Amino acid sequence: MLNSVLSIAAPLILAAVAGYLPFRAGILNIGLEGLMALGAFFGFIAAAASGFWLMGVLAGSLAGAMAAAFFAWTVLRLEANIFLSGLGLNLAAAGFLGIASQMAFGTKGVLRPAILNTSRTFPPDHGIIPVLAAGFAFTALMLIMSKTRWGHRVIAAGEAPETLENLGHPVKMVRLQTLVLSGIGCGAAGALLALDIGAYVPNMTGGRGWIALVALYIAGKSPLGLLATVLLFSAANATATVLQGMTGIPDSLLLASPFFITFLGLVAAGALRTLAESRQRRKERDLTADEVRG
Amino acid sequence: SPKEAQTEEAQQEAPGAVGSIAVFVPGVVAGSPTYEMMVEGVEAAARGKSGVEVSVVEGGFNQGEWLTKLSSLAASGRYDLIVTSNPAMPEICAEVSRSYPEARFLVLDGHIEGNPSIFTFRFNQREQGYLAGYFAGLVAREKQAEGTVKVGLIAGQEYPEMLRSIRPGYQQGAEAAAGTAELDFRVVGNWYDAGKGSELAGDMFRSGVNVILAIAGGANQGVISAAQEAGKGVIWFDSSGYDVAPGTVIGSTRIYLDRAAREMTLKAIEGELPFGSAESVGIAEGYITFITDHPAYTENLSQELREKLENHLEELKNGSVKVQE
Amino acid sequence: MPDSGGSIRARNIHKYFNHGEVKALDGAGINLRRGEIHGLLGENGSGKTTLVRCIAGMTRPDSGEILMDGIPAARHNRSKVSGKIAYIPQHPRLVPSLTVQEFLHLGMNPAGQGRDEAAGKIRRISERLRIDLPLATRGNRVPANLVTATMIVEALLKAPDFLILDEPSTSFTPLETENLFSLLQELAAEGMGILIVSHKIREVRQLAHRLTLLRKGKSIAETEARDLSLEEISRILMGTGDRAAELTPSSPGGICLEVRNLSKRSRESFIRNISFSLRRGEILALSGIRENGLDCLERILNASVQPDSGEILMAGGTPYPREPERIKMAGIAMVPSDRLESGAALGLPVMENAAVLVRKELSRYGILGEKKKESYTRELLSEYGISAHPRSLTSALSGGMLQRLILGREILSASGLVILCEPAWGLDVKGRLEVYQRILSLRDRGAGILLLASDIDEVLEIADRLLVLYNGEITAGFQRDQFDHGRIGEAMLGICGTGDGK
Amino acid sequence: MTKNRRILVISGGILLLLGLVLYVSPKPLEALTDLFTDPLRTPFAFGNLMATAGILTLSGAGIAVAMTSGSFNLGGEGQAYLGSLLPVLLLLALPGAPPALMIPLGLAAGAFGGSAMGWLSGIMREKIGTDELISSYLAAGAVIPIIDYLIAVPLRDPDSYLLSTPKIAEGFRLVRLLPPSQLTSGIFLALGAALLWWFLSRYTLMGYELRLSGANPRFASLSGIRVSRYRSGGMSISGALCGLAGALMSLGVYGAAVQGGTGGIGWNGIAVALIARYRPALILPAALFFAYLTQGLSAAVMASGISNEMGLLLQAAVFIAITAGEAGKGE
Ligand SMILES: Nc1ncnc2c1ncn2[C@@H]1O[C@H](COP(=O)(O)OP(=O)(O)OP(=O)(O)O)[C@@H](O)[C@H]1O
Ligand SMILES: Nc1ncnc2c1ncn2[C@@H]1O[C@H](COP(=O)(O)OP(=O)(O)OP(=O)(O)O)[C@@H](O)[C@H]1O
Ligand SMILES: [Mg+2]
Ligand SMILES: [Mg+2]
């Protein structure tokens, strides 16, 4: 169970970490899904052609970075609407991948190693690699955001862009950097997804980029909250998978449960926070009352 | 190229009943073996005849849009014949033919009778499910001599043909082979999430399933990945799947939808397709089978198992045994 | 005045907004030398902020020339010049989630400077400014005066050649302003070139060596400060002398606001046992350093927090509203101190902000056409000398124009109780005078006016009565005839306390 | 970059793509003419164009209402889906009732379903401070598979292979204006709603207060406006409009609730609202533009052999281009 939770969570964490940076810098990157898809395609091809999974991850990251840089150009330079442009990135990625796959391999369908005339498969215990990568990315994020000057600059770009500009750091540059990093992270996430399966399947990202976005929104500014949200969602998913094997609960109904559980988690978190706040307020009031008396 | 074809058409004056054909794919071609077969079959038929043009139109996954898209094909008046495949299509074609009675439809893998615009050609999917189930039962029984065996089925989504024909046929086949069999049926939720497919299959293998029939489009790839990791087997459906993952795909059923598409299209071109009637075929007619002549099949399975399967397949072919509806 | 020779020259700068509709700068220029303090004066909306932003590289002029040490700055953008030209904006903001310490490290030159070295530098500079920065506090909890101070420390960390300050003293107490000014004098003596924008002509004239006067986007004079008298400056700027508001004695009526034993403790600041009452026809000022209770009181009065104990009553003993929505329904006019957040919706057209209080009167059966809003707004704009189109975005208004808009809106529909927080922030001399005149006539029509202001000069000009808040408590009270700049200033700093002017 | 250069870059990009279309298409001329003329060529295509535009007008207005009130409705998809199911259930349950009564009731049921979902998100924000953007998205994410299941299993028409409920009685269907196209009398409802929203927003006190609440809630409440009421109200109205769009799909287009039948309404509504920059007067043209674009592309894809993928690329280019040059004001 823990294994499945982690393996579901790993690509989500990577994508969410990737989305976190531009999110914090004031740009919501709606295109995570498309970036992951590009990473999956190029990651698979490079890994299958070279036989090294690491090559796949590198190629996926590179593809993601380039697409993200293009996205950055549209929103930072052309000043296109962030939401529409992100939607455009997703559409363009889907369109581009279909055409590229058709031109290079004669099919828009599943790509297996055999299509590149290799029978190379990826290491059998590869399932651990995405988990390690996710763990590394998350730890790096925590350190960067709390300890480094660059991380603080990202926060400033999101919360007080004028001020950051005034300090001599071009806001657009910081945003560009976070976007490119998000491309790298999503590309790697997509590549690992494909390498985990050992094949490229069109649409195989299956909405993971969107889920990462939701997790970002739920967690807000807190990286730990982000981790908790992703883990909660993954646990709900893993539970649904196991429950499908037991009779009684309609299978397709269980597909709603990850959203439902996350929704309930959100309600619970909100209710708890509200409760805590009102208690805090009461405490403060008691304090003053004492002081006034004393 | 189509331009040359046009000039050829101008020179050669041999118009059949059908000059241009639209193939309407309710979904997308890539990743769906049956749709690939349909396109292949129609194109093969057209290749034999000069002056017949084929356009392939993908309708996408939203079944709500199929009616509109099919209507615009009919409305354009550009096509003498529209070929499509899917059990849901006959009713949609019937709806379209009410507004466009002059349009002609050839529907594979579906059934309707009495509409003068439509000819249908149905495959008995229950039989295909049964074959796969029989094989699954044999494999499971070989691994576990006593008690109830567990067989697996992963579908992309729950859809009528799956619930009505394939799943019950599969269960029935497994019981016929193994005596008592429990079916572990799970749903991915879409036709592409290979990661989810892998999760589901992994969990099924852990809970004692030895072999899984995968009918989940691209998500099948995840089932294969999980099977490779667990050292278990996968059964392929509709088309030969041994080459997809030799050694992991241990069995494969097949329907001859390509052949049917070619034959029926040819008939239509010659003007001999009896619109308004319907045909139904299965194992006995030779349109559904289990592929037994692939090395991956012979090499990975025991002599005994293969003999049992092939004998039963023979009985089904010659009609001495029938799949109960 | 040591003149080390280097300079920034801006010449014939033009800057237009809204596709040329608004001429913010129309051939402005300035000549800032190293080692001098240079004052930039002008009416509200005359283009001061725009000009200094061009010089600082925050805004790119449409045409004109900026020379640094005689060399044309080819692409004069912020990241290039930030090490040489430090800039403290008119509305400075820290980064809400970063502590002051983290913020100070943000802009530092990454090369060199270990943590200890940096900390030492920060300490030395804040000592020179005689201010204690709350290093561990997050940006969203730092009070306005310390925000400005933090920005100044940040700027000086880079040891810039030039320092530009856009109305820096608005949020400062007199003492803080004094400290700042003496620091500026030291820095100039060390060779830094300093440009300061201010409406406090008197102060600037004393501080600055030279002055540049701006009118309607044009530089109309650049002179030695002592060559012009105060009167001359005001005449040049807006054709009036620097007069005080004409005070008439007040004739207080019935009580319209009564505060009894009010206490509140929150994370930022607190008040303890505050009691006072306000009568119709008088102006009561509460003054002090903002976080000594002024801001806490404001938050209670605008109902964004509830007091822990005590009560507030209005005329006839009706309780004071406890929800923000009810304030206006209770007929209270209020000008908030954070104009950007609570005073207007900056993203909407000017007319939507101007007509908000009269929206019910303007509408009929729930129908409210744009024409009505627009014509109402036109009147308001001309009455208060606001140069803007009713349909242009409110965010395009200059600082002083926005303040006039808010004041005008509130005063026009005020009758009973009026609460004004820092009403003169950002106003030029003429605007101030006009506003004071209006407040006085409002008083004479029988309104009770509560003035929350940290600027003593402002308070002294129009208040009938003054209470000083120190450390959350009322520590002194003065009647108009007891007003004394020095004693009031001391009371605000907690050095002494007298009487109770209740 | 100056505005002119920006326009140059963008139109250059689109031209490049069009060139690519010409290059890859076996019938380049047909592809191009279909792209631009198909939606207007036949009454059938024109009817479909108007029908799609009408439905997008509703969902686009819905998203814009929420946005104007200061909320982001990311759940339009689920609201529309629920809005397409509820009226069908009602009409299937009472097949004998008089249509003149039942059709309005059905539409109301659709609006109610969407509105309830929007309201839930609004009230969650008010009571426990949960961002309505997330809660609306999650609620939709939970509701969609549940409705999928309901349509596929318990409510499915046993006589059909389509994943759909049984059809409602013919009498309950909205009147078709240009058969066999999808254009129904529902278009008037959409036009009416767009007009009403435009009028409300521009000429009423309520619209004024709603706009203020959205633009600066703190200032609005200090001005005596009940902001929380407008915010949850905005979400409810937004949900109602999306639900109504869904109801038009089921009562007008399909005559049944079809699995995935409302796919895209919510998302495309966001695109429409953004293209219109939330301005009430621009919602209708934006919806028309969007419908024209998608339908032209789909015609070009179907008839002229340009691939679906090419269509996606073109649509992406238009999305990016449509707002380029306007400083990004969205989130
Ligand atoms: N890759 C795919 N692309 C599009 N649709 C698919 C794909 N895979 C499966 N489907 C859909 O799933 C349904 C059943 O899939 P299956 O793999 O059984 O193919 P099939 O045998 O053609 O189906 P059916 O028996 O319904 O005709 C079909 O209706 C088809 O629309
Ligand atoms: N971003 C902008 N968009 C449109 N107009 C602007 C913008 N910034 C400034 N303006 C206009 O330019 C003119 C000059 O504004 P500026 O802020 O420079 O004045 P100022 O002298 O600093 O005034 P104040 O003393 O009130 O701060 C004003 O009319 C203002 O409305
Ligand atoms: Mg099938
Ligand atoms: Mg200014």
Side-chain angles (χ1 to χ4, degrees):
Chain A
M1 185 72 187
L2 184 67
N3 270 346
S4 11
V5 175
L6 285 181
S7 77
I8 295 173
L12 285 177
I13 291 175
L14 269 174
V17 165
Y20 182 87
L21 290 169
F23 176 65
R24 221 44 228 277
I27 290 214
L28 187 63
N29 185 354
I30 302 275
L32 298 182
E33 181 82 8
L35 294 172
M36 282 179 82
L38 288 166
F41 181 76
F42 286 102
F44 169 76
I45 294 175
S50 67
F52 301 115
W53 64 268
L54 202 56
M55 280 304 289
V57 177
L58 288 179
S61 306
L62 187 68
M66 281 166 53
F70 171 75
F71 172 65
W73 178 71
T74 65
V75 298
L76 298 177
R77 197 72 210 253
L78 299 183
E79 294 175 0
N81 177 281
I82 292 167
F83 192 90
L84 278 180
S85 196
L87 229 49
L89 173 59
N90 286 328
L91 293 176
F96 169 81
L97 286 178
I99 293 170
S101 179
Q102 179 75 46
M103 287 187 0
F105 307 108
T107 171
K108 291 189 268 182
V110 177
L111 301 182
R112 305 183 179 89
I115 210 155
L116 290 156
N117 291 324
T118 60
S119 56
R120 288 188 180 128
T121 48
F122 305 102
D125 58 344
H126 52 275
I128 191 69
I129 292 168
V131 176
L132 289 179
F136 172 77
F138 184 76
T139 317
L141 180 77
M142 290 285 283
L143 287 177
I144 288 173
M145 295 318 288
S146 63
K147 296 270 183 280
T148 70
R149 205 175 286 175
W150 185 80
H152 293 162
R153 237 170 259 157
V154 170
I155 293 174
E159 296 181 358
E162 270 278 307
T163 301
L164 185 67
E165 194 83 40
N166 186 7
L167 297 191
H169 297 287
V171 172
K172 286 186 175 180
M173 181 53 84
V174 177
R175 291 186 170 161
L176 172 70
Q177 290 163 352
T178 61
L179 280 174
V180 168
L181 279 173
S182 86
I184 291 177
C186 286
L192 288 171
L193 208 58
L195 299 185
D196 201 19
I197 297 299
Y200 166 77
V201 180
N203 280 326
M204 71 186 303
T205 48
R208 284 172 179 76
W210 292 104
I211 290 165
L213 268 183
V214 175
L216 271 177
Y217 249 103
I218 292 178
K221 293 173 177 174
S222 144
L224 277 176
L226 187 63
L227 185 67
T229 312
V230 171
L231 287 179
L232 171 71
F233 188 85
S234 308
N237 241 312
T239 314
T241 296
V242 172
L243 284 182
Q244 271 210 27
M246 304 177 185
T247 45
I249 307 166
D251 304 316
S252 43
L253 211 49
L254 282 169
L255 297 171
S257 62
F259 289 94
F260 200 65
I261 291 172
T262 314
F263 186 82
L264 290 184
L266 198 63
V267 174
L272 281 179
R273 196 178 47 224
T274 314
L275 214 74
E277 270 166 19
S278 65
R279 194 170 300 156
Q280 176 74 25
R281 230 173 286 136
R282 214 169 305 138
K283 211 186 277 170
E284 279 178 5
R285 190 169 306 166
D286 293 345
L287 252 179
T288 338
D290 288 347
E291 215 164 283
V292 170
R293 253 175 263 128
Chain B
S1 93
K3 277 176 195 152
E4 285 167 32
Q6 271 168 4
T7 40
E8 263 176 48
E9 185 184 25
Q11 287 165 357
Q12 270 174 278
E13 193 47 47
V18 167
S20 69
I21 303 175
V23 181
F24 181 79
V25 178
V28 297
V29 178
S32 164
T34 49
Y35 293 154
E36 278 168 11
M37 284 192 252
M38 165 172 70
V39 173
E40 249 171 51
V42 175
E43 281 176 344
R47 229 174 287 129
K49 298 278 164 187
S50 61
V52 180
E53 248 188 278
V54 178
S55 310
V56 180
V57 173
E58 293 184 326
F61 290 109
N62 181 359
Q63 43 164 0
E65 288 177 9
W66 294 346
L67 176 63
T68 324
K69 292 196 166 162
L70 201 64
S71 298
S72 3
L73 279 186
S76 76
R78 288 179 193 164
Y79 305 103
D80 304 315
L81 176 70
I82 298 173
V83 185
T84 182
S85 158
N86 189 318
M89 290 314 289
E91 45 187 305
I92 293 179
C93 296
E95 177 96 27
V96 174
S97 71
R98 270 200 278 162
S99 312
Y100 301 98
E102 65 289 351
R104 289 290 173 272
F105 302 94
L106 160 59
V107 184
L108 302 161
D109 200 10
H111 181 79
I112 195 172
E113 242 167 317
N115 185 317
S117 304
I118 308 173
F119 174 83
T120 62
F121 191 94
R122 171 168 62 179
F123 303 92
N124 190 334
Q125 290 288 20
R126 193 183 189 95
E127 289 186 357
Q128 196 185 184
Y130 178 91
L131 262 187
Y134 190 82
F135 175 74
L138 290 179
V139 173
R141 182 52 80 206
E142 201 175 59
K143 297 251 159 72
Q144 178 192 336
E146 302 273 305
T148 308
V149 299
K150 268 180 127 176
V151 293
L153 169 54
I154 292 185
Q157 284 175 318
E158 289 182 308
Y159 55 96
E161 184 81 333
M162 170 59 69
L163 299 180
R164 279 185 212 170
S165 314
I166 302 174
R167 187 171 75 177
Y170 184 68
Q171 169 114 39
Q172 206 177 336
E175 276 164 7
T180 51
E182 185 191 322
L183 172 60
D184 189 348
F185 172 73
R186 303 200 194 185
V187 181
V188 180
N190 57 53
W191 300 95
Y192 42 78
D193 194 336
K196 176 102 189 164
S198 159
E199 289 296 327
L200 287 170
D203 189 58
M204 287 162 85
F205 289 133
R206 279 192 292 280
S207 70
V209 170
N210 279 308
V211 60
I212 294 177
L213 169 61
I215 311 183
N220 285 353
Q221 207 57 46
V223 180
I224 288 174
S225 154
Q228 279 167 339
E229 207 159 315
K232 302 285 169 83
V234 175
I235 307 172
W236 212 251
F237 204 68
D238 280 344
S239 66
S240 172
Y242 295 108
D243 291 328
V244 169
T248 299
V249 174
I250 54 173
S252 177
T253 58
R254 176 176 189 338
I255 61 175
Y256 288 94
L257 199 142
D258 42 353
R259 198 172 94 208
R262 193 182 68 240
E263 291 167 355
M264 297 306 123
T265 307
L266 272 176
K267 273 196 183 176
I269 292 174
E270 319 254 277
E272 287 164 12
L273 199 64
F275 290 99
S277 63
E279 201 165 324
S280 288
V281 299
I283 302 175
E285 292 78 15
Y287 281 94
I288 291 179
T289 192
F290 196 99
I291 300 175
T292 54
D293 56 0
H294 195 280
Y297 166 79
T298 10
E299 283 160 20
N300 291 312
L301 297 165
S302 71
Q303 174 86 30
E304 191 195 343
L305 189 150
R306 279 185 282 138
E307 269 170 16
K308 272 193 203 157
L309 176 71
E310 282 160 32
N311 288 340
H312 194 60
L313 183 59
E314 194 51 43
E315 288 168 346
L316 289 163
K317 269 185 189 159
N318 63 32
S320 57
V321 175
K322 278 217 154 51
V323 176
Q324 299 299 312
E325 285 291 319
Chain C
M1 166 190 17
D3 188 347
S4 39
S7 69
I8 302 178
R9 273 165 201 274
R11 270 196 222 140
N12 202 19
I13 307 283
H14 291 259
K15 177 76 193 176
Y16 306 108
F17 289 108
N18 296 353
H19 312 292
E21 266 173 42
V22 180
K23 278 188 202 166
L25 292 178
D26 190 19
I30 197 166
N31 195 349
L32 173 63
R33 301 183 192 136
R34 278 201 177 79
E36 74 162 350
I37 299 182
H38 194 125
L40 179 60
L41 302 177
E43 286 183 272
N44 286 138
S46 56
K48 303 178 297 296
T49 297
T50 311
L51 178 60
V52 296
R53 281 174 63 87
C54 286
I55 294 170
M58 293 291 288
T59 299
R60 190 199 289 249
D62 292 333
S63 68
E65 174 176 58
I66 298 172
L67 304 170
M68 274 191 73
D69 298 333
I71 305 158
R75 284 207 142 192
H76 195 73
N77 68 36
R78 187 65 196 145
S79 61
K80 265 204 194 139
V81 302
S82 66
K84 285 202 175 131
I85 307 175
Y87 165 58
I88 315 297
Q90 188 170 4
H91 305 287
R93 278 193 74 206
L94 300 181
V95 182
S97 321
L98 295 184
T99 63
V100 169
Q101 169 112 37
E102 287 166 339
F103 177 79
L104 289 175
H105 281 86
L106 256 192
M108 281 190 174
N109 185 3
Q113 283 189 349
R115 294 228 155 210
D116 293 343
E117 200 181 331
K121 248 179 136 175
I122 291 170
R123 200 166 349 101
R124 274 195 301 281
I125 295 172
S126 30
E127 268 164 21
R128 284 184 78 177
L129 192 57
R130 296 198 196 105
I131 216 159
D132 246 342
L133 290 187
L135 288 177
T137 307
R138 292 201 186 282
N140 53 351
R141 301 205 172 280
V142 178
N145 59 335
L146 293 182
V147 168
T148 310
T150 304
M151 293 294 274
I152 292 173
V153 171
E154 199 284 333
L156 296 181
L157 278 174
K158 283 183 263 187
D161 298 342
F162 299 95
L163 174 62
I164 301 177
L165 306 108
D166 195 349
E167 302 195 33
S169 60
T170 37
S171 60
F172 278 4
T173 58
L175 183 67
E176 285 167 340
T177 307
E178 214 170 282
N179 291 337
L180 172 66
F181 283 2
S182 63
L183 174 61
L184 293 183
Q185 272 159 343
E186 286 171 34
L187 291 171
E190 289 161 19
M192 193 179 288
I194 293 169
L195 177 58
I196 181 164
V197 177
S198 179
H199 290 299
K200 298 181 181 167
I201 301 180
R202 200 185 309 259
E203 274 173 14
V204 176
R205 188 172 159 277
Q206 272 168 18
L207 178 71
H209 304 123
R210 293 194 308 137
L211 296 176
T212 291
L213 307 191
L214 214 56
R215 186 155 79 196
K216 297 199 170 139
K218 289 190 177 67
S219 302
I220 47 173
E222 178 167 335
T223 64
E224 296 292 315
R226 60 185 108 83
D227 290 356
L228 283 181
S229 71
L230 275 179
E231 287 69 33
E232 279 171 308
I233 294 175
S234 356
R235 225 185 336 275
I236 295 176
L237 281 180
M238 47 213 126
T240 56
D242 181 19
R243 289 172 296 123
E246 284 165 30
L247 267 181
T248 47
S250 69
S251 47
I255 287 184
C256 65
L257 182 74
E258 167 130 40
V259 170
R260 290 195 198 136
N261 300 326
L262 204 62
S263 293
K264 167 78 193 173
R265 181 180 203 90
S266 70
R267 251 166 282 177
E268 297 85 13
S269 77
F270 60 91
I271 51 175
R272 263 187 297 209
N273 255 336
I274 290 195
S275 302
F276 62 84
S277 57
L278 168 68
R279 292 173 177 279
R280 288 179 153 271
E282 74 165 344
I283 300 177
L284 170 63
L286 264 86
S287 195
I289 297 168
R290 282 199 68 73
E291 58 279 11
N292 268 346
L294 221 48
D295 52 351
C296 187
L297 187 60
E298 181 184 346
R299 271 202 297 275
I300 293 175
L301 287 175
N302 68 25
S304 52
V305 297
Q306 297 304 320
D308 297 330
S309 61
E311 58 184 344
I312 315 177
L313 301 172
M314 306 208 309
T318 46
Y320 191 85
R322 300 193 127 222
E323 290 161 27
E325 290 92 346
R326 299 202 176 273
I327 294 177
K328 287 286 144 63
M329 297 179 200
I332 302 167
M334 179 176 300
V335 173
S337 62
D338 63 332
R339 292 157 291 175
L340 302 183
E341 285 293 315
S342 314
L346 297 181
L348 292 182
V350 170
M351 62 178 187
E352 308 252 334
N353 281 301
V356 63
L357 295 183
V358 293
R359 61 187 189 277
K360 298 227 167 87
E361 288 88 89
L362 292 182
S363 69
R364 204 185 231 192
Y365 310 119
I367 305 292
L368 173 55
E370 307 226 302
K371 289 246 165 60
K372 281 193 177 161
K373 277 187 263 180
E374 194 170 340
S375 63
Y376 177 85
T377 304
R378 272 188 203 289
E379 263 171 48
L380 178 74
L381 295 186
S382 70
E383 181 115 335
Y384 279 80
I386 304 166
S387 52
H389 191 276
R391 285 175 188 270
S392 62
L393 281 188
T394 311
S395 56
L397 292 184
S398 79
M401 293 299 171
L402 179 64
Q403 182 71 352
R404 287 168 190 225
L405 176 70
I406 297 170
L407 274 164
R409 177 186 72 209
E410 299 293 327
I411 289 176
L412 267 186
S413 64
S415 55
L417 175 58
V418 182
I419 300 173
L420 303 173
C421 304
E422 314 287 354
W425 268 10
L427 290 182
D428 59 26
V429 179
K430 191 169 149 200
R432 246 166 112 134
L433 201 63
E434 280 170 12
V435 165
Y436 289 162
Q437 217 62 66
R438 287 178 201 276
I439 293 176
L440 284 171
S441 73
L442 201 57
R443 180 198 75 175
D444 294 342
R445 273 183 276 133
I449 294 165
L450 182 66
L451 207 61
L452 301 184
S454 49
D455 184 339
I456 313 185
D457 294 335
E458 183 171 319
V459 164
L460 295 187
E461 280 199 62
I462 49 172
D464 297 317
R465 219 149 44 92
L466 167 67
L467 300 175
V468 174
L469 266 176
Y470 175 71
N471 209 9
E473 290 173 286
I474 294 181
T475 55
F478 303 85
Q479 297 292 338
R480 173 139 205 106
D481 47 16
Q482 307 168 321
F483 281 4
D484 175 288
H485 201 287
R487 278 179 57 209
I488 294 173
E490 284 170 5
M492 283 171 71
L493 296 172
I495 299 171
C496 74
T498 11
D500 69 344
K502 283 172 203 173
Chain D
M1 183 167 348
T2 65
K3 193 153 190 175
N4 285 344
R5 247 187 76 200
R6 222 173 269 148
I7 291 168
L8 214 68
V9 168
I10 294 158
S11 35
I14 293 180
L15 277 180
L16 199 78
L17 275 168
L18 282 180
L20 211 60
V21 169
L22 290 181
Y23 177 74
V24 296
S25 168
K27 304 177 212 160
L29 272 183
E30 272 178 51
L32 268 193
T33 41
D34 275 342
L35 183 60
F36 290 112
T37 67
D38 177 89
L40 302 176
R41 204 183 301 152
T42 61
F44 173 73
F46 179 73
N48 285 346
L49 171 71
M50 297 316 285
T52 314
I55 282 160
L56 285 175
T57 302
L58 281 176
S59 64
I63 303 297
V65 171
M67 197 50 107
T68 310
S69 77
S71 311
F72 205 134
N73 181 4
L74 216 47
E77 203 66 61
Q79 292 152 7
Y81 206 14
L82 189 61
S84 78
L85 179 64
L86 290 185
V88 171
L89 292 184
L90 181 73
L91 297 180
L92 284 176
L94 300 168
L101 175 70
M102 293 311 283
I103 292 180
L105 260 180
L107 292 172
F112 171 79
S115 165
M117 282 182 69
W119 175 84
L120 179 70
S121 299
I123 208 74
M124 274 175 70
R125 179 194 189 102
E126 206 175 309
K127 296 286 177 226
I128 57 175
T130 308
D131 197 333
E132 77 290 334
L133 179 140
I134 308 161
S135 63
S136 62
Y137 177 84
L138 287 178
V143 158
I144 290 171
I146 292 175
I147 299 181
D148 276 347
Y149 163 76
L150 291 177
I151 294 180
V153 186
L155 301 175
R156 186 166 58 79
D157 180 2
D159 300 326
S160 166
Y161 278 87
L162 274 176
L163 296 171
S164 121
T165 62
K167 298 216 173 221
I168 55 174
E170 274 298 321
F172 287 157
R173 299 187 62 161
L174 301 177
V175 180
R176 297 215 166 222
L177 300 182
L178 269 177
S181 87
Q182 298 178 345
L183 187 62
T184 64
S185 48
I187 186 81
F188 299 117
L189 196 64
L191 290 180
L195 213 67
L196 185 67
W197 165 230
W198 172 78
F199 179 79
L200 268 179
S201 143
R202 217 181 143 104
Y203 290 105
T204 67
L205 196 57
M206 204 174 156
Y208 184 20
E209 295 190 345
L210 182 88
R211 210 163 37 240
L212 277 169
S213 310
N216 184 345
R218 174 147 183 72
F219 167 57
S221 72
L222 282 173
S223 306
I225 295 170
R226 292 240 161 242
V227 173
S228 59
R229 205 169 57 189
Y230 277 107
R231 288 195 99 152
S232 49
M235 276 304 277
S236 306
I237 296 176
S238 171
L241 287 170
C242 290
L244 204 54
L248 286 196
M249 290 296 273
S250 58
L251 298 192
V253 178
Y254 305 131
V258 177
Q259 196 184 86
T262 54
I265 290 186
W267 293 114
N268 295 341
I270 295 176
V272 166
L274 281 171
I275 292 170
R277 273 171 240 124
Y278 311 122
R279 291 207 211 134
L282 295 183
I283 293 285
L284 194 63
L288 256 176
F289 170 79
F290 194 91
Y292 197 102
L293 176 72
T294 44
Q295 196 174 326
L297 279 174
S298 123
V301 166
M302 288 213 302
S304 327
I306 77 161
S307 64
N308 255 320
E309 286 75 16
M310 218 60 214
L312 290 178
L313 278 185
L314 263 177
Q315 196 171 346
V318 172
F319 271 7
I320 293 169
I322 191 87
T323 56
E326 302 280 330
K329 281 201 119 187
E331 271 271 84

